[in-house]
Amino acid sequence: DFIAELKSRLPAEQAEKVITAAHRPNRALYDLSVAIEKLPMHFMRKNEINKNLSIFEDTLGGSERLLSSPVPLFYSRHTARFLSTWLLLLPFALYDPFKGSWNHISMIPATTFISLCLFGIEELATQLEEPFTILPMQGFCDKIGANCDEIVSWSGQYDDEFPVIVKTFEDS
């Protein structure tokens, strides 16, 4: 469940703000941007992270536009009707090329094969109209979350083991 997972990963107040937001992704990106600004690191690194966050936000917007603008139903129906009619008339076009076989019997498997291929392409196109419904998005997100959790678990792990090699201006 999305809400339970959000509440388990974020502080209660922040999770509630994301849940009640009119546009959850924008709220989450805003919270992420605020968190980046609070990080104790050089401003150049923060700028690079913010650039990547902006790219992510642009990609998110493109994905939302893709999801919210499906192919018109008329287009799908017209394509299916045209393809069915074309395949129904295909045996008449294949009649002469298959005159060498006994009673045109080899035309049946050829027509069947062509029909399966073209109907398969048409079905694939229908599925690709809404790619987020056929992709295992939860699996992708779980994997990314697990990778992020692993990276966070490394925090401060080797601070004492590796000496600082580069001197800062304050050290000289």
Side-chain angles (χ1 to χ4, degrees):
D1 180 42
F2 167 74
I3 294 175
E5 185 175 351
L6 199 61
K7 287 182 177 180
S8 72
R9 293 183 178 267
L10 296 175
E13 183 181 334
Q14 187 179 10
E16 199 57 41
K17 286 180 181 176
V18 172
I19 292 167
T20 58
H23 191 256
R24 291 176 183 167
N26 279 346
R27 178 59 199 212
L29 287 170
Y30 170 76
D31 289 348
L32 195 53
S33 154
V34 169
I36 290 168
E37 280 306 311
K38 292 180 180 179
L39 286 173
M41 64 173 53
H42 194 270
F43 75 94
M44 293 295 285
R45 288 184 121 181
K46 287 182 188 181
N47 285 344
E48 288 301 314
I49 294 172
N50 277 324
K51 281 182 194 175
N52 289 329
L53 189 62
S54 294
I55 292 169
F56 179 72
E57 189 172 9
D58 292 343
T59 305
L60 173 70
S63 297
E64 285 181 335
R65 282 190 297 281
L66 178 66
L67 182 63
S68 63
S69 57
V71 176
L73 187 59
F74 170 76
Y75 173 78
S76 299
R77 287 183 179 168
H78 178 72
T79 304
R81 288 176 185 151
F82 173 79
L83 185 59
S84 297
T85 304
W86 191 85
L87 289 172
L88 187 66
L89 298 174
L90 182 63
F92 296 113
L94 294 178
Y95 188 81
D96 213 26
F98 282 95
K99 66 182 172 189
S101 65
W102 177 79
N103 204 13
H104 298 86
I105 197 74
S106 56
M107 187 171 58
I108 295 170
T111 304
T112 303
F113 178 73
I114 293 170
S115 298
L116 285 173
C117 290
L118 292 179
F119 277 129
I121 292 170
E122 198 270 336
E123 181 62 28
L124 179 64
T126 302
Q127 292 292 321
L128 289 177
E129 288 174 11
E130 294 185 25
F132 301 112
T133 59
I134 59 171
L135 294 173
M137 296 305 291
Q138 187 62 46
F140 291 155
C141 293
D142 290 345
K143 183 69 174 170
I144 291 169
N147 291 342
C148 290
D149 288 342
E150 181 182 17
I151 291 169
V152 168
S153 74
W154 298 338
S155 177
Q157 198 171 22
Y158 299 111
D159 288 349
D160 298 333
E161 294 179 27
F162 297 109
V164 177
I165 297 172
V166 180
K167 285 183 158 184
T168 62
F169 289 112
E170 296 144 7
D171 293 338
S172 20

